[in-house]
Amino acid sequence: MFAGKEDFKKQYKAEFMETIARPFEECTKREKYEVLAKMICSRAAKLHTETKLGYDKRRAKRVYYFSMEFLLGRLLDNYLINLGVEDTVREGLADLGENLDELLSMEPDPGLGNGGLGRLAACFLDSMAFLGIAGFGMGARYRFGLFKQKIRDNQQEEEPDPWLSNGYPWEIRRSDCAAEVHFGGSVNRRYENGKIYFDHVGYQTVMAIPYDVPIVGYGGKNVNMLRLWQAEPAEEKINLDAFCRGQYSEAFRERDEIEAITAILYPDDSTLAGRELRLKQEYFLVAAGIASIIKNYKFTYGADNWAKFPEKVAIHTNDTHPALCVPELIRVLLDQEHLEWDEAWEITVKTMSFTNHTVMPEALERWPIDLMQRLLPRVYMIIEEIDRRYRENFDHSQPDCQRKLQSTAILWDGQVHMANLSIIGSHSVNGVAAIHTEILEHDVFKDFYQDMPQRFNNKTNGISHRRFLLEANPELGRQISMAIGNSWLFDTYQLKNLLRYKEDPDFLKTLRKIKYENKCRLAWYIERENGISINPDSIFDVQVKRIHAYKRQLLNIFKVMYLYNKIKKDPDAEIPPCTFIFSGKAAQSYDFAKEVIRLINTVADVVNNDASIGGKLKVVFLENFSVSLGQLIYPAADISEQISTAGKEASGTGNMKFMFNGAVTLGTMDGANVEIHELVGKDNIFIFGLSSEQVEDYYRKNNYHSSQLCEEDPELKEITDQLINGFFKDNGEEFWSIHDALIRYNDEYFVLKDFRDYLRAWQETVQAWQETERWTRISLTNIALAGHFSSDRTISQYAEEIWHV
Ligand SMILES: *Cc1c(COP(=O)(O)O)cnc(C)c1O
């Protein structure tokens, strides 16, 4: 790419006149970032045409990964690393008097996702590109990503995130690949030569314009594309009459209505947004994506070669949000390509696969039939037909058949059940961690599992170690490569060679030094952002993720309250200095989660400003959690808090990012924690709490009584009382809704039940941390065994077992 730093400097400086018609010397840092990004983007796009040529020549099977969310994070640093030019660029910039890190920090972090699900999709793109899989992301180009979180008066406030306001150098608008999407209207039947045809008429046309973002694989050999679709009016839709009458908003009404489809990302994490616009978004992505897939397929394989389609195309849906891919593909094959139903159906099922991400019942998507029928009349007819055929083949003589039909049918009670549509219309259904897949098979989807066990499989999540270790923690990356060579970057299982250094005091010391420096880096950030000064020699006990009742940030802050109460009563209590770090957004309409944020910040105020505890405890809430903030936090953590109610967290991926960075898990037997535990063994992880079976048992038998438990435990009682007894009076309202959830509504997530065992496990963790050598060995063991949680491993399994590429 660059023959050396002189060559880079020459190319870079020439680029300025090309792109902004001003010389390097006259430009701001942001412009210097933009020119550099644009330059790398165009080089990457060129590499993509070569990659694509290779795919076409090989007639490679293509994988299309549909997701309503892609949480990419910043790209420039990642791509410089993947292209192997980071040092060249850094040195070249230094010659020009510029600092690469400062330019990197100019990049907006596009928040086109809520949390784990969207970040997973981004890690998968990274791994597909690295592994040379012809994998293409299909997503939406929201004008406003997830809201920016501000903390004011201890509370979350949301502000829009206009991430595109300065343009986005990584995208390439492809008007030539636009697709039409049709909403509303009606369907006419027509008979011709003894065959029925369905004509969709009277619809509104929305144009879908793709913006392609290159995805550079590590090593720079393969560059794939993420296609983000934007909604635009078909023609310049302006009502000139209204405009002339001075009615400007009326003049632009239809245009605004269409642009609204990709205006915002739904800020709701794992609850159903029962909104018409959300359904429009989902169908918009699906219809645009399928249209471009069909176009490409016909171009490569001809217009009447449909039987081969599933051999050449795999369509994967990230949760049920793109589930309409099933009826949409059938619609195109029937109405546009004139296949018969049986053939269209077989092709579709062989092509489609589906990942479930949650067992929370409120997150299982359902849409009212009348809404679907009004918005997507032809697609709905096809869903009806799929449901009719499913019922026709359903064995009505089996025991319990009515209940079973109710749990598996697509149409029930006036609603379209999207998970059932996905399962019936896909050849593969997977969960995202072993325990989660078990729960799908034996609980949530047990009736499907009974009938078609071969359809179900597990694919434990993974993360990009190149972003979350090499890029986020470069010094650790360097030291690992010095110790065991750099093959771990391609094959993460090689990390296990680090185990050789378990008894090497120098290496352990190096690990401690790296951790200390990462903690200093985070401490500076906290000082700057929150004005709180943090002791880098204290334990960094970290919980960063979406705020949700089941993730139990509440349990964590109760621990802090317990410790505070303890020190107040006994100033000599043996507690090493601790820093409790929280970060995460609550869905805008999720009142309980927002109260938890207010509680954390209120406790922080009290604890941080109480001189009598001698700075032993510090509590920090970092606002606006994002991928780039995560990259700063994960490498600085000592303790990784993964404390969800067992059975509720499908997998978690934060737990893996911490592990790669040598943080030690304090967690429940939930999600991928179970597999971390299995790998590292009980001496290298701290486990507590109810098992998922025990949790289910309590629900089933209805024999948990939180208020009784609270009465029997004075210290716990004190904490729950402090929520409402004026303890925080100087800091605003009492926390009645939290108190009610725990006592009146019987503590659905077992915060009180798990409290004592959590404290026990935390104390053991802190004890281990104080034994410096032992702790560093535990930390090293975690890094050495983290290799299993690379998304390279996950994607290899998808490729082999689901997509067959
Ligand atoms: C990894 C990641 C998550 C997921 O974290 P969990 O701890 O698995 O819930 C959420 N948000 C961002 C920005 C992430 O990078």
Side-chain angles (χ1 to χ4, degrees):
M1 175 150 305
F2 308 122
K5 76 172 176 179
E6 295 306 326
D7 182 41
F8 160 72
K9 275 154 58 182
K10 201 169 112 224
Q11 291 195 35
Y12 181 49
K13 287 190 87 167
E15 201 82 10
F16 279 81
M17 290 318 286
E18 296 269 321
T19 39
I20 46 178
R22 259 183 302 134
F24 169 81
E25 292 75 17
E26 289 175 20
C27 289
T28 63
K29 288 208 189 287
R30 188 163 59 71
E31 289 165 328
K32 289 175 185 173
Y33 152 72
E34 281 167 3
V35 172
L36 182 56
K38 203 74 228 150
M39 174 173 160
I40 298 295
C41 178
S42 69
R43 304 295 188 279
K46 217 152 88 202
L47 287 170
H48 170 69
T49 55
E50 286 168 33
T51 303
K52 198 164 148 298
L53 225 66
Y55 292 152
D56 288 347
K57 221 150 121 202
R58 279 196 280 134
R59 304 216 141 193
K61 183 169 185 177
R62 288 175 163 233
V63 177
Y64 295 96
Y65 194 85
F66 278 71
S67 179
M68 289 294 283
E69 306 186 8
F70 285 91
L71 211 45
L72 293 175
R74 290 176 174 154
L75 298 182
L76 181 54
D77 196 20
N78 198 249
Y79 288 179
L80 294 178
I81 292 172
N82 288 357
L83 293 166
V85 298
E86 199 196 12
D87 292 340
T88 311
V89 169
R90 186 180 293 281
E91 289 161 20
L93 284 173
D95 283 0
L96 297 172
E98 261 315 328
N99 176 293
L100 175 61
D101 294 323
E102 282 178 29
L103 298 197
L104 295 178
S105 71
M106 296 287 127
E107 178 162 351
D109 185 339
L112 306 185
N114 276 289
L117 173 145
R119 183 53 232 177
L120 183 78
C123 286
F124 281 5
L125 295 181
D126 175 79
S127 286
M128 286 193 282
F130 166 65
L131 292 167
I133 294 170
F136 297 80
M138 288 284 185
R141 183 178 184 267
Y142 307 101
R143 191 145 65 86
F144 297 95
L146 186 58
F147 63 84
K148 270 202 277 192
Q149 180 194 53
K150 284 265 152 45
I151 303 295
R152 291 204 186 89
D153 296 333
N154 292 338
Q155 275 167 293
Q156 167 174 304
E157 286 180 14
E158 302 88 15
E159 289 178 0
D161 169 31
W163 68 287
L164 284 168
S165 57
N166 292 318
Y168 187 57
W170 297 105
E171 61 186 12
I172 301 157
R173 183 179 162 102
R174 294 293 305 268
S175 328
D176 57 314
C177 299
E180 276 191 23
V181 180
H182 298 162
F183 290 104
S186 55
V187 179
N188 295 336
R189 283 161 201 262
R190 167 167 62 86
Y191 284 88
E192 227 175 83
N193 306 326
K195 224 185 132 180
I196 292 197
Y197 293 90
F198 294 91
D199 297 322
H200 186 193
V201 296
Y203 48 74
Q204 180 192 39
T205 297
V206 173
M207 294 311 293
I209 313 290
Y211 285 72
D212 287 352
V213 178
I215 303 296
V216 178
Y218 184 72
K221 280 207 282 292
N222 292 297
V223 177
N224 287 341
M225 281 287 178
L226 163 61
R227 180 154 272 196
L228 298 174
W229 294 93
Q230 169 167 281
E232 292 183 12
E235 304 102 36
E236 207 36 75
K237 291 222 170 172
I238 300 176
N239 180 340
L240 281 178
D241 284 346
F243 190 88
C244 292
R245 288 196 303 274
Q247 295 164 340
Y248 304 121
S249 56
E250 175 57 24
F252 294 106
R253 195 183 50 79
E254 187 172 3
R255 209 186 66 160
D256 292 346
E257 197 184 293
I258 286 170
E259 287 175 353
I261 295 173
T262 48
I264 59 148
L265 167 80
Y266 270 81
D268 101 352
D269 186 58
S270 81
T271 59
L272 165 67
R275 298 276 314 280
E276 181 171 332
L277 189 59
R278 168 75 179 194
L279 183 58
K280 271 190 168 177
Q281 288 187 332
E282 292 182 355
Y283 181 67
F284 173 78
L285 166 62
V286 161
I290 297 276
S292 77
I293 293 170
I294 294 286
K295 191 169 145 192
N296 185 270
Y297 181 81
K298 285 165 78 168
F299 182 78
T300 316
Y301 300 101
D304 44 25
N305 203 1
W306 295 105
K308 261 174 85 111
F309 190 80
E311 285 169 42
K312 294 297 170 191
V313 174
I315 298 177
H316 198 91
T317 55
N318 196 21
D319 216 316
T320 57
H321 318 137
L324 292 173
C325 277
V326 171
E328 176 65 8
L329 182 54
I330 294 177
R331 185 189 72 76
V332 171
L333 293 176
L334 290 179
D335 295 359
Q336 198 177 300
E337 307 301 333
H338 305 301
L339 268 58
E340 299 295 329
W341 177 278
D342 288 336
E343 203 184 349
W345 174 250
E346 195 186 319
I347 289 170
T348 300
V349 175
K350 279 187 180 164
T351 304
M352 299 294 313
S353 49
F354 157 60
T355 299
N356 168 282
H357 281 272
T358 171
V359 298
M360 305 294 281
E362 64 268 32
L364 288 178
E365 256 190 314
R366 295 178 197 106
W367 291 103
I369 286 177
D370 50 359
L371 171 63
M372 186 90 73
Q373 209 163 14
R374 179 160 54 76
L375 216 55
L376 310 168
R378 179 60 183 141
V379 169
Y380 178 71
M381 284 175 76
I382 290 165
I383 294 174
E384 228 173 16
E385 181 63 11
I386 301 171
D387 183 67
R388 191 188 68 75
R389 286 169 183 252
Y390 177 74
R391 288 165 188 260
E392 201 173 73
N393 290 325
F394 188 83
D395 175 5
H396 289 273
S397 67
Q398 59 188 314
D400 212 12
C401 78
Q402 200 51 28
R403 186 200 54 76
K404 207 166 154 178
L405 186 62
Q406 172 172 1
S407 78
T408 56
I410 298 169
L411 302 179
W412 199 273
D413 263 355
Q415 294 188 305
V416 185
H417 292 246
M418 304 300 268
N420 294 356
L421 174 62
S422 294
I423 296 171
I424 292 169
S426 305
H427 68 279
S428 166
V429 178
N430 74 281
V432 290
I435 184 179
H436 171 231
T437 302
E438 287 276 309
I439 292 172
L440 295 184
E441 291 174 351
H442 300 116
D443 183 6
V444 184
F445 299 135
K446 64 171 188 289
D447 296 317
F448 280 122
Y449 181 65
Q450 226 172 48
D451 286 351
M452 32 198 190
Q454 73 291 346
R455 221 169 256 209
F456 285 78
N457 62 89
N458 176 248
K459 296 286 167 285
T460 299
N461 281 167
I463 58 127
S464 167
H465 59 290
R466 290 171 292 259
R467 176 176 290 270
F468 289 103
L469 201 169
L470 185 62
E471 180 186 333
N473 198 344
E475 193 49 35
L476 180 59
R478 214 175 342 265
Q479 291 299 334
I480 292 173
S481 292
M482 267 162 60
I484 62 168
N486 66 2
S487 61
W488 64 277
L489 290 165
F490 304 91
D491 170 10
T492 43
Y493 285 102
Q494 299 300 325
L495 284 170
K496 70 176 186 310
N497 293 326
L498 286 172
L499 290 174
R500 279 195 246 124
Y501 292 86
K502 247 176 112 169
E503 307 300 332
D504 181 333
D506 288 339
F507 193 76
L508 297 181
K509 201 167 147 200
T510 304
L511 284 186
R512 281 196 293 276
K513 184 162 165 284
I514 294 167
K515 182 65 78 183
Y516 181 79
E517 277 160 11
N518 291 334
K519 287 166 80 172
C520 288
R521 193 162 58 124
L522 180 58
W524 289 324
Y525 181 86
I526 292 171
E527 174 97 54
R528 194 184 78 202
E529 293 296 312
N530 294 41
I532 301 171
S533 100
I534 296 300
N535 173 8
D537 284 316
S538 63
I539 303 180
F540 279 24
D541 178 336
V542 183
Q543 188 173 22
V544 293
K545 48 181 76 235
R546 287 300 288 251
I547 313 292
H548 207 292
Y550 84 81
K551 292 181 184 274
R552 297 200 295 192
Q553 282 90 357
L554 192 54
L555 179 59
N556 193 347
I557 199 67
F558 269 28
K559 171 191 74 192
V560 178
M561 292 169 76
Y562 167 88
L563 294 169
Y564 177 73
N565 291 338
K566 192 167 156 134
I567 298 180
K568 289 299 277 182
K569 273 174 226 152
D570 173 11
D572 299 325
E574 287 266 334
I575 297 170
C578 295
T579 303
F580 301 98
I581 297 168
F582 294 84
S583 194
K585 295 176 185 179
Q588 221 157 349
S589 58
Y590 191 173
D591 294 332
F592 179 83
K594 289 174 130 178
E595 278 295 273
V596 171
I597 292 178
R598 190 169 71 87
L599 177 63
I600 294 169
N601 283 301
T602 306
V603 172
D605 268 357
V606 172
V607 171
N608 298 343
N609 296 315
D610 187 338
S612 77
I613 64 165
K616 272 190 173 168
L617 308 177
K618 284 278 159 74
V619 184
V620 177
F621 189 98
L622 284 166
E623 67 184 11
N624 206 35
F625 188 55
S626 62
V627 175
S628 26
L629 186 51
Q631 288 177 216
L632 179 66
I633 296 174
Y634 296 118
D638 294 309
I639 301 178
S640 158
E641 297 270 356
Q642 306 300 336
I643 59 179
S644 52
T645 311
K648 302 291 183 194
E649 185 75 271
S651 164
T653 48
N655 44 6
M656 303 167 184
K657 300 170 195 165
F658 280 107
M659 186 182 181
F660 270 105
N661 283 285
V664 179
T665 306
L666 167 57
T668 48
M669 282 299 242
D670 199 18
N673 299 351
V674 176
E675 286 155 81
I676 297 177
H677 174 256
E678 195 177 302
L679 270 169
V680 301
K682 64 174 177 32
D683 296 335
N684 297 298
I685 188 170
F686 296 86
I687 296 290
F688 71 93
L690 297 176
S691 67
S692 62
E693 291 85 2
Q694 287 171 316
V695 167
E696 273 314 305
D697 227 45
Y698 275 121
Y699 286 142
R700 204 169 33 244
K701 297 189 183 139
N702 203 8
N703 60 350
Y704 169 52
H705 306 291
S706 65
S707 59
Q708 190 184 333
L709 192 147
C710 204
E711 291 302 324
E712 291 162 4
D713 184 335
E715 286 166 321
L716 191 52
K717 176 86 167 70
E718 180 180 10
I719 295 166
T720 52
D721 283 349
Q722 283 171 338
L723 295 172
I724 51 162
N725 69 2
F727 182 75
F728 296 120
K729 191 127 102 224
D730 294 342
N731 293 281
E733 297 284 300
E734 307 277 23
F735 293 92
W736 271 107
S737 62
I738 294 178
H739 191 272
D740 281 348
L742 294 175
I743 306 296
R744 256 172 73 170
Y745 302 117
N746 204 30
D747 184 18
E748 188 181 350
Y749 296 102
F750 299 96
V751 171
L752 304 181
K753 180 73 191 168
D754 274 347
F755 179 71
R756 280 286 156 190
D757 202 34
Y758 176 51
L759 274 184
R760 190 250 335 135
W762 182 81
Q763 273 149 356
E764 285 176 18
T765 314
V766 167
Q767 177 59 42
W769 183 84
Q770 288 172 297
E771 299 167 34
T772 310
E773 289 288 308
R774 175 183 163 211
W775 181 264
T776 319
R777 276 199 295 274
I778 296 176
S779 171
L780 172 69
T781 306
N782 272 274
I783 301 170
L785 298 174
H788 181 66
F789 299 107
S790 162
S791 46
D792 292 350
R793 186 268 310 152
T794 313
I795 284 298
S796 303
Q797 292 176 330
Y798 275 88
E800 209 162 292
E801 296 161 24
I802 299 179
W803 303 329
H804 307 294
V805 292

